[in-house]
Amino acid sequence: MPVIAPMPAARPARISNQRDGAEDVVAAGTTVDHLTETYRAHYRSLLGLAALLLDDTASCEDVVQEAFIRVHSARKRVRDPEKTLAYLRQTVVNLSRSALRRRILGLKLLSKPMPDMASAEEGAYDQLERDSLIKAMKGLQRRQREVLVLRYFADMTEAQVAETLGISLGSVKAYGSRGIAALRVAMEAPA
């Protein structure tokens, strides 16, 4: 069954020239009947050509159908019916190349999976640990909490923490060690 919708055959029309009484022949190009015959005779061979270039049947069928659609649309430009098959073959090759280019581009644009992605259970466990850490941090004295946040979460040196809080370096060390000891006790305690 042809893909091309049946239309009245566009045959070379004879137009009467009123000036000298002679008739001129106007070339109308490849006819729909000729395309239908070409479709019936060469569909399988064009499908085989596409199969040599592409790897799946659906893409091959799409390419061949699109080639016939394009030839049908441009049938007035294909003046010699003998060149219709050559035009179809070239169109199948070009469409196959385009399909391959789109596939390659699609593969390049696919997002790459994150390496060592945590499972949902690990994410839930990490969330529980964060929650218990936040709860334990809230239980610390204000200065201990400030020193630990600036030292370990803001990644400051002890000297920078001392300067930021306006306390001595020894106080930073003392608050830090007492805060860590209190966190350890709070994190190990059963909830």
Side-chain angles (χ1 to χ4, degrees):
M1 170 162 316
V3 173
I4 303 165
M7 294 176 55
R11 305 231 184 253
R14 297 205 172 267
I15 299 174
S16 171
N17 189 340
Q18 300 297 332
R19 286 179 281 159
D20 54 8
E23 291 184 351
D24 295 320
V25 176
V26 177
T30 303
T31 64
V32 174
D33 289 341
H34 177 71
L35 284 173
T36 303
E37 292 169 18
T38 305
Y39 180 86
R40 287 183 181 138
H42 298 285
Y43 177 78
R44 292 211 182 268
S45 67
L46 291 170
L47 196 60
L49 175 63
L52 292 172
L53 301 170
L54 299 171
D55 56 353
D56 64 304
T57 307
S59 295
C60 296
E61 290 172 348
D62 290 344
V63 162
V64 173
Q65 296 294 334
E66 180 66 23
F68 273 100
I69 290 169
R70 289 188 182 191
V71 170
H72 181 268
S73 299
R75 68 185 180 278
K76 292 191 186 333
R77 290 189 307 238
V78 182
R79 301 221 181 262
D80 186 4
E82 299 302 317
K83 293 184 180 177
T84 304
L85 184 57
Y87 186 80
L88 278 166
R89 285 183 181 139
Q90 188 61 49
T91 305
V92 166
V93 169
N94 290 340
L95 290 172
S96 297
R97 287 178 184 159
S98 295
L100 290 173
R101 271 189 233 111
R102 280 191 304 273
R103 283 185 193 170
I104 291 169
L105 182 62
L107 290 174
K108 285 181 181 178
L109 295 178
L110 282 177
S111 62
K112 295 180 180 162
M114 296 294 291
D116 300 329
M117 199 167 197
S119 68
E121 293 85 12
E122 290 175 14
Y125 184 73
D126 290 344
Q127 183 64 40
L128 287 173
E129 283 186 341
R130 277 191 297 276
D131 291 345
S132 63
L133 176 63
I134 290 170
K135 183 179 176 184
M137 289 289 287
K138 288 180 181 178
L140 296 177
Q141 295 176 4
R142 181 182 56 88
R143 277 289 185 202
Q144 290 174 347
R145 185 172 48 248
E146 290 171 350
V147 168
L148 291 178
V149 166
L150 291 175
R151 180 77 175 102
Y152 297 104
F153 294 103
D155 203 28
M156 292 182 170
T157 63
E158 289 175 338
Q160 290 170 331
V161 172
E163 184 180 334
T164 302
L165 294 178
I167 58 177
S168 69
L169 186 61
S171 296
V172 169
K173 290 180 181 182
Y175 285 127
S177 68
R178 288 185 197 129
I180 289 174
L183 277 178
R184 190 172 291 127
V185 169
M187 296 291 288
E188 291 175 358

